[in-house]
Amino acid sequence: MNIGTAATKSGLTAKTIRYYEDIGLVTPARSENGYRDYSEEHVHYLNFIQRSRSLGFSIDECRALLSLYNDRARSSSEVKKLALHKIEDIEHKIAGLTSMKNMLIDLAGKCHGDDRPDCPILDNIAGDHKVGK
């Protein structure tokens, strides 16, 4: 199948599929005229990559997951280790986002939100360094 059909079946754009090919995640066959020729297995891998990316895995982590997926002698502990590491990354991101949210709630609570020019939100962003004053 051509790249357009593979894109439709996988839900990815042709540009994304070409990128995945450029970085070696998928390697379609080439027809005599040089066109990419994707198989159902390629579409399966593209779906696998898309699902992995939606779970927050990086390109390199997707590469590792694909390698493990294709290795029938793999140990499930290796896969679990990658998943647990990703969970730890997500927890750190959540903590950072929660901290930012709490700071913005605090700053918004201190802002009068009226016609006065004083703004604790801008003061905080500026580091309380008033330029030209």
Side-chain angles (χ1 to χ4, degrees), residues 1-131:
M1 77 186 75
N2 66 27
I3 195 167
T5 304
T8 300
K9 286 187 166 196
S10 67
L12 296 169
T13 65
K15 182 178 180 178
T16 299
I17 294 172
R18 281 191 292 275
Y19 171 69
Y20 288 162
E21 180 185 359
D22 288 344
I23 63 172
L25 281 178
V26 291
T27 308
R30 292 282 183 161
S31 62
E32 287 183 24
N33 60 8
Y35 289 119
R36 294 168 178 86
D37 185 20
Y38 292 90
S39 67
E40 289 298 328
E41 183 178 44
H42 290 117
V43 172
H44 179 73
Y45 287 155
L46 291 168
N47 286 325
F48 183 96
I49 295 164
Q50 181 185 38
R51 179 77 174 127
S52 298
R53 296 288 287 151
S54 74
L55 291 170
F57 288 101
S58 69
I59 294 293
D60 286 337
E61 291 165 333
C62 288
R63 190 181 313 281
L65 287 167
L66 268 174
S67 177
L68 288 165
Y69 178 74
N70 287 319
D71 179 6
R72 296 294 171 202
R74 71 181 172 263
S75 165
S76 65
S77 66
E78 294 177 67
V79 182
K80 184 175 182 174
K81 181 179 169 184
L82 283 172
L84 291 174
H85 181 72
K86 182 51 57 187
I87 291 167
E88 189 176 302
D89 287 348
I90 292 168
E91 286 174 345
H92 288 315
K93 288 178 183 177
I94 290 171
L97 289 170
T98 300
S99 176
M100 285 191 295
K101 175 187 163 194
N102 291 338
M103 178 175 280
L104 285 170
I105 288 170
D106 181 58
L107 290 171
K110 292 177 181 175
C111 182
H112 296 289
D114 56 18
D115 292 335
R116 291 183 274 181
D118 295 337
C119 181
I121 299 169
L122 293 177
D123 291 345
N124 183 277
I125 292 171
D128 291 323
H129 301 297
K130 310 257 183 188
V131 178

